[in-house]
């Protein structure tokens, strides 16, 4: 059986996006001008691929997914919300209680949705 270990966000400017995600993830990006990536815990990698890169092909449009950071407590959700606001991160959905608990959604430089929430219990 195989498991996914890379997820890729299509971005207009990988270097600009890498700077944004470096702040959120607290680690440096690796890569090239048209592709930046972050090695995450557990063998997972986040890639940022330029929509202007040679051989880039995608028939989709828009953002139909979210990247989520699941934290252990409501206080952690609130702390990240305040920290990201203070850092100038665009917040699309303010703090609210959803069916799965306290959550909010931020936006990356290309409009990718970044959710913070509690794990399903």
């Amino acid at each position: 059986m195989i498991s996914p270990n890379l997820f890729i966000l299509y971005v207009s400017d990988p270097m600009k996006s890498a700077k944004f995600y470096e702040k959120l993830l607290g680690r440096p990006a690796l890569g090239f001008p048209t592709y930046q990536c972050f090695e995450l815990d557990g063998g997972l990698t986040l890639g940022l691929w330029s929509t202007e890169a040679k051989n880039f092909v995608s028939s989709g449009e828009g953002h139909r997914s979210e990247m989520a950071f699941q934290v252990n407590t409501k206080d952690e959700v609130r702390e990240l919300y305040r920290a990201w606001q203070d850092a100038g991160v665009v917040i699309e959905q303010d703090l609210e209680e959803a069916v799965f608990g306290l959550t909010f959604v931020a936006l990356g430089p290309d409009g990718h949705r970044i959710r913070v929430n509690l794990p399903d219990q």
Side-chain angles (χ1 to χ4, degrees):
M1 179 172 3
I2 63 172
S3 296
N5 55 8
L6 167 67
F7 62 100
I8 299 172
L9 301 177
Y10 301 153
V11 300
S12 61
D13 184 342
M15 302 301 282
K16 176 182 175 185
S17 293
K19 289 183 188 328
F20 173 83
Y21 288 103
E22 282 177 351
K23 291 179 196 173
L24 294 188
L25 300 172
R27 61 186 78 204
L30 310 167
F32 310 94
T34 58
Y35 179 81
Q36 294 285 298
C37 68
F38 294 88
E39 294 177 354
L40 306 174
D41 298 338
L44 187 63
T45 301
L46 166 62
L48 306 170
W49 192 15
S50 174
T51 55
E52 302 300 318
K54 182 179 179 182
N55 299 327
F56 174 84
V57 177
S58 174
S59 60
E61 290 184 30
H63 307 289
R64 294 176 291 284
S65 62
E66 296 181 349
M67 174 174 30
F69 293 89
Q70 294 188 317
V71 298
N72 294 318
T73 68
K74 288 183 176 187
D75 285 341
E76 288 178 274
V77 175
R78 289 183 192 99
E79 287 170 18
L80 282 173
Y81 178 76
R82 283 190 293 275
W84 290 8
Q85 279 186 314
D86 291 347
V89 175
V90 174
I91 304 296
E92 181 180 52
Q93 177 185 338
D94 288 319
L95 277 173
E96 72 171 45
E97 283 284 340
V99 295
F100 48 83
L102 189 63
T103 188
F104 73 92
V105 175
L107 296 177
D110 287 271
H112 294 289
R113 293 172 52 88
I114 307 164
R115 181 176 297 279
V116 175
N117 65 290
L118 302 170
D120 294 335
Q121 296 184 23

